[in-house]
């Protein structure tokens, strides 16, 4: 299927945007990805090792840039295996994820809006091209596929990820996808939430989603001493906003509850 007018897409001067959030946290974004697929990548500097929380869509190489900027390759932790979070995972030598996320056999994904919408069972009409620029001059959007990665460590709820001078606790919070995790820094109340919660409509009816599990995960999150949330999409927010978003989702009127797609199952497992 042709993606109309993609030949007209300009070439981005720089694909990734780096923003230092505090002395050990850097936000990495892909500004030329349309919002549906524009995910946050979080780089956490540690004394012994660095962690990268998710790795973006994977349309151009990321690891060489990280080596250049941070002097070493971080361990990649995947909050889940949707295309916008794991696209670059194949580049990393250490990939940590929950075993229920099929990082070695990911859903193929697409940068063609209608194809992706069909894969995900979304009602909304997506634009023909899910990028607004190309990462380099000879990039062909039609060749995009999520490349499989090798999981080098299986993460479980309660695992402590030690960076040397601070540590993050793994929270298994299924619902958006079966093996969705968040990382929680109990020392300062910072949560890296992936797609468990962000400041927009929460998706609990994708292929692989589970509405009941999602609600249970949100109730668990509400009881934790979270001070600041760095989500998988959009801006960071405080405890008050976190509770507002959780309560909104749990108490939404029945008419807005999305039913899982009954006819569209192009993949046996999760997609974003
Ligand atoms: Zn997702």
């Amino acid at each position: 299927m042709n993606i109309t007018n993609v030949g007209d897409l300009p070439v981005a001067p720089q694909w990734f945007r780096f923003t230092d959030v505090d002395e050990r946290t850097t936000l990495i974004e892909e500004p030329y990805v349309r919002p549906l697929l524009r995910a946050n990548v979080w780089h956490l500097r540690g004394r012994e090792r660095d962690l990268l929380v998710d790795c973006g869509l994977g349309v151009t190489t990321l690891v060489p840039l990280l080596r250049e900027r941070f002097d070493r390759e971080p361990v990649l932790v995947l909050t889940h295996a949707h295309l916008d979070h794991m696209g670059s995972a194949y580049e990393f030598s250490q990939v940590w994820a929950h075993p229920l996320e099929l990082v070695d056999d990911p859903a193929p994904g697409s940068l063609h809006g209608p194809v992706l919408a069909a894969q995900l069972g979304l009602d909304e009409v997506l634009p023909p091209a899910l990028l607004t620029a190309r990462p380099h001059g000879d990039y062909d959007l039609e060749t995009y596929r999520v490349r499989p990665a090798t999981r080098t460590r299986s993460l479980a709820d309660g695992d402590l990820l030690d960076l040397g001078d601070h540590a993050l606790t793994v929270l298994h919070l299924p619902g958006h996808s079966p093996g969705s995790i968040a990382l929680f820094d109990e020392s300062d109340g910072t949560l890296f939430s992936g797609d468990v919660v962000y400041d927009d409509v929460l998706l609990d009816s994708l292929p692989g989603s589970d509405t009941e599990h999602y609600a249970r995960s949100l109730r668990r999150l509400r009881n934790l001493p979270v001070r600041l949330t760095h989500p998988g999409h959009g801006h960071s927010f405080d405890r008050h906003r976190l509770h507002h978003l959780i309560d909104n989702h749990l108490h939404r009127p029945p008419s807005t509850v999305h039913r899982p797609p009954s006819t569209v199952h192009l993949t046996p497992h999760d997609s974003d």
Side-chain angles (χ1 to χ4, degrees), residues 212 214-224 246 250:
E212 288 303 313
Y214 206 142
R216 203 179 309 150
S217 291
L218 289 177
R219 284 194 290 270
R220 179 180 174 199
L221 210 46
R222 204 187 190 292
N223 286 322
L224 292 175
I246 290 173
L250 293 177

Side-chain angles (χ1 to χ4, degrees), residues 80 82 84-85 176 195 206 233 271-272:
H80 61 303
H82 287 165
D84 46 340
H85 299 263
H176 177 75
D195 280 359
L206 297 169
H233 296 273
S271 327
D272 207 352

Side-chain angles (χ1 to χ4, degrees), residues 142-163:
E142 302 216 30
T143 63
Y144 179 84
R145 272 185 77 80
V146 182
R147 293 164 72 166
T150 303
R151 182 198 340 262
T152 57
R153 176 177 169 182
S154 284
L155 297 177
D157 189 67
D159 281 358
L160 207 58
L161 310 185
D162 190 359
L163 279 67

Side-chain angles (χ1 to χ4, degrees), residues 60-68 72-74 88 91-93:
T60 188
T61 51
L62 175 58
V63 166
L65 294 177
L66 298 175
R67 283 188 178 281
E68 195 181 333
R72 58 184 174 184
E73 183 186 321
S88 290
E91 291 182 57
F92 288 77
S93 45

